[in-house]
Amino acid sequence: IEIGSVSYPTKDLSDIGKEIVASLDFVTIRMQENKKKYSALLAARQVFVDVIKREVIQSKGGLLLD
């Protein structure tokens, strides 16, 4: 396992320590997955905001600048 920039062997850990390392790995992976999902959702949200802005401008008879 790495803590900071230092690697430590897990072979000498107790069974509980090994379970904790496995849980830490699981949580870390899920956090990375959720970060990617969040980025995708944020990009999609921005597209929707841009589209609705254009729709509002058009409905008000404003000029559409492309």
Side-chain angles (χ1 to χ4, degrees):
I1 185 169
E2 284 190 23
I3 301 175
S5 59
V6 181
S7 293
Y8 297 95
T10 57
K11 65 182 179 187
D12 297 330
L13 291 176
S14 67
D15 289 342
I16 292 173
K18 290 176 184 176
E19 289 177 17
I20 292 170
V21 169
S23 295
L24 178 61
D25 288 343
F26 175 83
V27 169
T28 300
I29 290 167
R30 293 305 171 269
M31 287 175 63
Q32 291 168 345
E33 290 171 353
N34 285 329
K35 186 176 179 182
K36 290 176 186 176
K37 289 177 185 177
Y38 177 79
S39 294
L41 290 169
L42 196 59
R45 181 183 184 276
Q46 188 58 51
V47 169
F48 293 135
V49 168
D50 292 344
V51 170
I52 198 66
K53 282 180 183 178
R54 291 170 55 100
E55 185 68 24
V56 168
I57 290 170
Q58 284 180 342
S59 71
K60 298 285 185 186
L63 293 176
L64 185 60
L65 304 173
D66 281 330

